[in-house]
Amino acid sequence: MTDLRINDLRVDEADTEASNHSSEKENEDWIKTLIYQSQGAKEFSYCPYSKFRVGAALLAHDGTVFTGCNVENASYNLGLCAERTTIAKAVSEGYRRFKTIAIASDLEDQFISPCGGCRQFMQEFGDQWSVSKPDGSYVEMTVGELLPVSFGPEDLKKKTMFTTQNGS
Ligand SMILES: [Zn+2]
């Protein structure tokens, strides 16, 4: 969990050694900014039932940042996690390519970890983007690491043994 892979965030992979250094610095700055924004998003958390605030900040491929928080409901199973709120916001505004998401909670001694449902939700948009989990410090993992051997859109295109009656 200490394996920081900020290189995944690098836009230009053909950088020279010198500019790699500046790219890594740039990436680190991005992550810190995202962490700050995810902590800000947490302030809007609607969690009267769990009292567990979560915020997220999602960096899209073009540098646009979307933020979101968990939104609970009196009908508990309708509650939304911060990650899904944020991704849905971005997708509903035409974004489908993402670089990273930062997730913040109030946990003091450990990193917040995306739930299984959110890992699947992230996987829909590719497993090469990474997840940061801040509590001031952060670790970074790819969605592929968080959700290995997953099921995604590409699986629906694979050869099947049978077809449905309407042929779709
Ligand atoms: Zn979740």
Side-chain angles (χ1 to χ4, degrees), residues 3-4 101 108 124 146 149 166:
D3 179 27
L4 301 184
I101 188 168
E108 186 177 340
E124 181 74 16
L146 287 166
V149 199
N166 64 11

Side-chain angles (χ1 to χ4, degrees), residues 81 83-84 115 118:
C81 299
E83 299 93 315
R84 277 182 283 159
C115 77
C118 284

Side-chain angles (χ1 to χ4, degrees), residues 128-142:
Q128 294 305 306
W129 48 298
S130 48
V131 180
S132 304
K133 300 179 286 183
D135 68 348
S137 62
Y138 65 89
V139 294
E140 191 174 354
M141 297 178 72
T142 64

Side-chain angles (χ1 to χ4, degrees), residues 20-168:
N20 271 349
H21 182 72
S22 90
S23 287
E24 286 182 17
K25 171 82 174 72
E26 210 169 278
N27 289 328
E28 198 166 331
D29 288 346
W30 259 117
I31 290 169
K32 286 184 175 157
T33 300
L34 281 178
I35 289 170
Y36 180 78
Q37 289 171 307
S38 67
Q39 288 171 337
K42 189 181 67 184
E43 300 299 317
F44 296 114
S45 168
Y46 178 73
C47 55
Y49 309 108
S50 71
K51 316 275 193 226
F52 192 91
R53 302 188 306 164
V54 183
L58 174 67
L59 175 65
H61 69 283
D62 68 351
T64 304
V65 174
F66 294 88
T67 59
C69 62
N70 53 335
V71 183
E72 295 184 346
N73 192 276
S75 176
Y76 285 12
N77 62 345
L78 292 180
L80 277 177
C81 299
E83 299 93 315
R84 277 182 283 159
T85 301
T86 308
I87 294 168
K89 277 177 73 177
V91 172
S92 66
E93 293 187 28
Y95 287 81
R96 294 181 184 177
R97 290 169 54 209
F98 309 115
K99 287 179 176 295
T100 191
I101 188 168
I103 307 162
S105 76
D106 293 320
L107 291 176
E108 186 177 340
D109 296 325
Q110 63 187 84
F111 297 105
I112 180 77
S113 186
C115 77
C118 284
R119 294 175 195 206
Q120 179 68 33
F121 210 81
M122 293 170 182
Q123 202 276 348
E124 181 74 16
F125 301 99
D127 60 4
Q128 294 305 306
W129 48 298
S130 48
V131 180
S132 304
K133 300 179 286 183
D135 68 348
S137 62
Y138 65 89
V139 294
E140 191 174 354
M141 297 178 72
T142 64
V143 174
E145 288 171 324
L146 287 166
L147 191 69
V149 199
S150 62
F151 182 85
E154 67 284 353
D155 292 305
L156 295 174
K157 297 173 188 159
K158 290 177 181 168
K159 184 178 176 193
T160 57
M161 193 177 279
F162 303 103
T163 54
T164 55
Q165 269 196 328
N166 64 11
S168 59

